[in-house]
Amino acid sequence: MTDSADERDDIAYKRLVWHSRRGMLELDLILEPFVRNAYIGLDATNRALYRDLLDCEDQQLFNWFLRKEAVDDKGLKKIVDIVLAYNTSRGQL
């Protein structure tokens, strides 16, 4: 028995939501609402950037989202800016 593409996509999305829960409250409050409400509207390039972002260390993410450090990588900077803009629009940052 093989999974349908929709089932595989659903499983991949659920994993993405799980990986967006970082265990650091500040990051959870930024990433989890974004992935649940805005990720699906991203194009394929920005979705890939978001998945790359999740490979970063929590402390690095914390510093970027709280604007304590600049993001050196152009792609990661782009997705950090998208996540920040989303959270700003909902009054979270």
Side-chain angles (χ1 to χ4, degrees):
M1 183 170 135
T2 60
D3 292 333
S4 72
D6 289 340
E7 288 172 331
R8 286 190 304 269
D9 289 346
D10 185 52
I11 290 168
Y13 176 74
K14 286 178 181 177
R15 284 185 181 144
L16 194 63
V17 170
W18 178 255
H19 289 292
S20 295
R21 296 179 59 183
R22 306 301 287 208
M24 184 183 288
L25 179 61
E26 295 85 351
L27 293 178
D28 291 349
L29 293 173
I30 292 169
L31 295 174
E32 195 171 355
F34 177 82
V35 75
R36 289 185 183 276
N37 301 307
Y39 175 82
I40 209 75
L42 297 176
D43 62 29
T45 300
N46 287 330
R47 285 183 185 186
L49 288 172
Y50 185 80
R51 290 189 302 272
D52 291 345
L53 182 72
L54 294 180
D55 289 335
C56 296
E57 296 292 326
D58 288 357
Q59 192 60 49
Q60 188 71 62
L61 294 173
F62 180 83
N63 289 336
W64 290 341
F65 287 121
L66 292 173
R67 298 179 182 116
K68 293 181 175 196
E69 279 182 23
V71 184
D72 294 333
D73 181 276
K74 287 172 93 174
L76 291 178
K77 181 179 180 347
K78 180 179 179 185
I79 196 64
V80 165
D81 289 344
I82 290 170
V83 173
L84 285 170
Y86 170 78
N87 280 282
T88 298
S89 74
R90 22 181 314 260
Q92 295 299 310
L93 293 176

